[in-house]
């Protein structure tokens, strides 16, 4: 029996209050409207951003809400005006989009779409501001336009990447956020040449993905910098060859790295969110050619301070959002990198839980035990 045009009743994990365990509820999911797609989610994973907004310590609280933005699924039905997707397509919903029509989408250099750029405050759909989720008529807010902690969700078609149907969704679902952010920061922005040295600041999921990019690019040395030495063992599996814990040194970490590398690393990628680490990541690159890339999201009042001479000495500082990938155009290609065994995803997946135990995924992340925990829907 076709569900096209009908309301679908299914299970969703609803966050009713900040920091309180999610509750499994039966929700109603309305059919997709203009330029929208309804997706049956098969696998989703948990990312730090979900946790930050669920905790709502530094963010505007918006509840009840359905979180989740790293996922893989199959299109169930499409709304009016959707021409590039159809029922049965294998897709990854993405937290930021590509309308195809704005100056950013027309620029080869940008992925910061005017219409569909990440918006953490929006709880409804762009088309009419309304939610497609409800419980007994009470609307439940969306998150990042994706809300993948639900067996079915509605997403703007500009936020849906159509991928190779042979790709295992339980693995490639992690490509929708953190993995691509770190990978793209190295491959698309830092662009190390084969044989160059790369320093990675912060060895969480994003930093490890940046290290994976350095491995793929053929970096000769990958130096991991983290304040938490427990991260180092795990990072070895990601090709990180040397470690620096700033706490183990009296000298500034820039100087430690300059001494290790005969004047500085060729490239650095900052994945911490700490402004000190951002400054260190810039100042540790070699003069003449070094490039530093900022990925971490700083605190509201942070300011970046360095001597202008560091720029005059031909160091470059860049920043990136979602690894400079355009979600619809480029993400299918990242999935292909996994399919042709260039990119390794398995090592990022440390845990798996059934949907009914989704709160365990939060525990693993809060304890710092997981890189990625896959949540299997329908289980
Ligand atoms: P995470 O918390 O898992 O990892 C961060 C690591 O940085 C930790 O291991 C921590 O010990 C280390 N660290 C913190 N301060 C440090 C310092 N001063 N020096 C060295 N190491 C330090 O986080 P994650 O999920 O890997 O995300 C990393 C950052 O990337 C976050 O700031 C996140 O908000 C950001 N992010 C940015 C984008 C983007 O598009 N630019 C997208 C996703 C995430
Ligand atoms: Zn656009």
């Amino acid at each position: 029996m076709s569900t096209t045009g009908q309301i679908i009743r299914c299970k969703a994990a609803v966050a009713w209050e900040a920091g309180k365990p999610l509750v499994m509820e039966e929700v109603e999911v309305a059919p997709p409207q203009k330029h929208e797609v309804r997706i049956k989610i098969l696998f989703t994973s948990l990312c730090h951003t979900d946790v930050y907004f669920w905790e709502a310590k530094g963010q505007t609280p918006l509840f009840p809400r359905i979180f989740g933005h790293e996922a893989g699924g199959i299109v169930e039905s499409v709304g009016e005006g959707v021409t590039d997707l159809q029922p049965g397509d294998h897709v990854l919903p993405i937290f930021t989009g590509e309308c195809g029509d704005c100056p950013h989408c027309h620029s080869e250099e940008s992925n910061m779409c005017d219409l569909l750029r990440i918006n953490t405050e929006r709880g409804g759909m762009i088309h009419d501001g309304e939610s497609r989720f409800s419980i007994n008529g009470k609307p439940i807010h969306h998150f990042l336009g994706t809300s993948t902690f639900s067996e079915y969700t509605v997403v703007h078609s500009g936020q849906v990447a159509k991928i190779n149907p042979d790709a295992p969704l339980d693995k490639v679902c992690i490509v929708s956020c953190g993995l691509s952010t770190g990978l793209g920061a190295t491959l698309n922005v830092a662009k190390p040449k084969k044989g160059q040295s790369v320093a990675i600041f912060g060895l969480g999921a994003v930093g490890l993905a940046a290290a994976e990019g350095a491995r793929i690019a053929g970096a000769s040395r990958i130096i991991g910098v983290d304040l938490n030495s427990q991260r180092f063992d795990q990072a070895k599996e990601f090709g990180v060859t040397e470690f620096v814990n700033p706490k183990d040194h009296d000298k500034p970490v820039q100087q430690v790295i300059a001494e290790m590398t005969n004047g500085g690393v060729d490239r650095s990628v900052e994945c911490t969110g700490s402004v000190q680490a951002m400054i260190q990541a810039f100042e540790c690159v070699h003069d003449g050619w070094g490039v530093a890339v900022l990925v971490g999201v700083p605190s509201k009042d942070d300011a970046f301070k360095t001597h202008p001479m560091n720029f005059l000495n031909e160091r470059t500082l860049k920043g990136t959002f979602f690894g400079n990938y355009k979600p619809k155009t480029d993400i299918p290609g990242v999935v292909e990198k996994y399919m042709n065994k260039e990119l390794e995803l398995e090592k990022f997946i440390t845990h798996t839980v059934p949907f009914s135990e989704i709160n365990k995924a939060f525990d693993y992340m809060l304890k710092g035990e997981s890189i990625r925990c896959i949540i299997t829907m329908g289980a």
Side-chain angles (χ1 to χ4, degrees):
M1 202 180 65
S2 168
T3 44
T4 306
Q6 313 281 317
I7 285 172
I8 291 181
R9 281 188 182 76
C10 68
K11 271 191 274 169
V14 177
W16 289 99
E17 276 180 76
K20 295 276 164 64
L22 307 187
V23 182
M24 273 307 161
E25 303 280 2
E26 187 175 274
V27 296
E28 298 196 332
V29 185
Q33 302 298 305
K34 200 171 178 186
H35 299 313
E36 294 172 1
V37 181
R38 190 161 56 185
I39 302 169
K40 181 178 171 59
I41 298 294
L42 298 183
F43 299 95
T44 183
S45 48
L46 179 66
C47 165
H48 253 142
T49 311
D50 296 306
V51 176
Y52 294 142
F53 283 83
W54 165 76
E55 287 178 326
K57 287 178 185 156
Q59 279 78 24
T60 318
L62 190 59
F63 294 93
R65 205 170 200 188
I66 297 175
F67 287 102
H69 65 284
E70 274 193 7
I74 296 177
V75 174
E76 173 269 339
S77 62
V78 304
E80 187 192 327
V82 176
T83 52
D84 63 331
L85 293 161
Q86 53 184 355
D89 284 347
H90 287 219
V91 294
L92 305 182
I94 315 261
F95 65 92
T96 186
E98 188 179 347
C99 75
D101 244 359
C102 71
H104 288 275
C105 288
H106 284 304
S107 160
E108 266 184 29
E109 292 173 317
S110 173
N111 65 346
M112 303 201 64
C113 174
D114 277 335
L115 181 70
L116 297 169
R117 185 185 303 187
I118 185 171
N119 182 335
T120 57
E121 312 266 303
R122 189 167 49 226
M125 298 303 288
I126 286 183
H127 175 58
D128 54 9
E130 305 281 317
S131 175
R132 304 285 173 261
F133 296 109
S134 60
I135 298 179
N136 300 326
K138 181 180 163 59
I140 311 293
H141 296 291
H142 292 246
F143 178 61
L144 303 183
T146 51
S147 293
T148 59
F149 296 162
S150 175
E151 290 175 325
Y152 286 86
T153 187
V154 176
V155 181
H156 191 288
S157 65
Q159 287 181 245
V160 179
K162 179 176 164 176
I163 61 161
N164 183 341
D166 294 333
L169 289 169
D170 60 337
K171 307 285 186 311
V172 299
C173 61
I174 67 168
V175 167
S176 17
C177 173
L179 184 281
S180 300
T181 296
L183 186 76
T186 305
L187 291 180
N188 300 336
V189 191
K191 295 186 182 160
K193 298 188 178 85
K194 201 168 177 352
Q196 286 194 320
S197 56
V198 181
I200 310 283
F201 285 73
L203 299 172
V206 176
L208 293 174
E212 177 68 359
R215 185 191 68 77
I216 292 172
S220 57
R221 297 173 72 181
I222 307 176
I223 302 171
V225 184
D226 203 299
L227 295 170
N228 176 1
S229 294
Q230 286 175 351
R231 297 270 182 179
F232 293 165
D233 269 346
Q234 200 168 41
K236 280 184 197 146
E237 289 169 42
F238 292 77
V240 175
T241 53
E242 291 149 86
F243 299 100
V244 177
N245 186 336
K247 288 185 193 159
D248 295 343
H249 301 270
D250 299 327
K251 299 178 233 181
V253 71
Q254 298 85 315
Q255 198 181 329
V256 174
I257 291 177
E259 286 169 9
M260 286 167 74
T261 54
N262 207 8
V265 279
D266 300 308
R267 300 289 186 265
S268 73
V269 185
E270 176 280 327
C271 308
T272 68
S274 145
V275 72
Q276 282 76 28
M278 294 178 188
I279 295 166
Q280 292 160 357
F282 174 55
E283 294 181 351
C284 81
V285 298
H286 206 288
D287 55 3
W289 60 78
V291 179
V293 177
L294 307 187
V295 179
V297 177
S299 303
K300 226 170 56 224
D301 301 321
D302 281 337
F304 187 100
K305 187 168 176 284
T306 191
H307 198 281
M309 211 57 208
N310 290 321
F311 290 96
L312 301 188
N313 286 342
E314 301 182 358
R315 293 180 181 88
T316 303
L317 178 63
K318 296 183 177 187
T320 176
F321 169 66
F322 193 46
N324 272 40
Y325 286 119
K326 285 187 193 281
K328 285 176 85 81
T329 306
D330 300 331
I331 291 304
V334 178
V335 169
E336 287 315 303
K337 271 191 202 298
Y338 168 71
M339 295 301 281
N340 61 34
K341 301 196 162 42
E342 212 184 319
L343 169 67
E344 295 169 11
L345 293 180
E346 284 80 0
K347 60 193 178 189
F348 288 88
I349 300 168
T350 51
H351 297 75
T352 305
V353 295
F355 189 33
S356 56
E357 294 176 20
I358 188 170
N359 288 303
K360 278 193 185 165
F362 282 70
D363 293 341
Y364 296 139
M365 179 150 282
L366 289 168
K367 287 189 200 141
E369 288 174 8
S370 59
I371 303 176
R372 277 298 180 263
C373 177
I374 304 293
I375 298 151
T376 308
M377 311 304 283

